[in-house]
Amino acid sequence: MTPRSVPVTADEPKPYRNADGVLGLARTAEVNGEKVGEDPLSSMSRTFER
């Protein structure tokens, strides 16, 4: 799988936001087609205020 960006409108991800307004989408990391990690996007660290 090749990383890619897909444009979306501001309202499209709304159903996927949790109570805090953070996207709760699943993310996986693969190396040479082998899954090496997974975590929801909502647990991503941020160094800026929302």
Side-chain angles (χ1 to χ4, degrees):
M1 174 183 254
T2 303
R4 61 189 178 114
S5 297
V6 178
V8 296
T9 61
D11 62 332
E12 286 181 285
K14 189 174 182 177
Y16 303 102
R17 294 191 183 276
N18 65 19
D20 296 326
V22 178
L23 287 171
L25 302 174
R27 304 289 294 171
T28 54
E30 295 182 3
V31 175
N32 295 327
E34 181 179 339
K35 184 165 55 170
V36 295
E38 62 183 331
D39 209 12
L41 185 62
S42 59
S43 68
M44 180 174 69
S45 295
R46 293 169 183 83
T47 58
F48 54 88
E49 292 185 35
R50 286 188 263 160

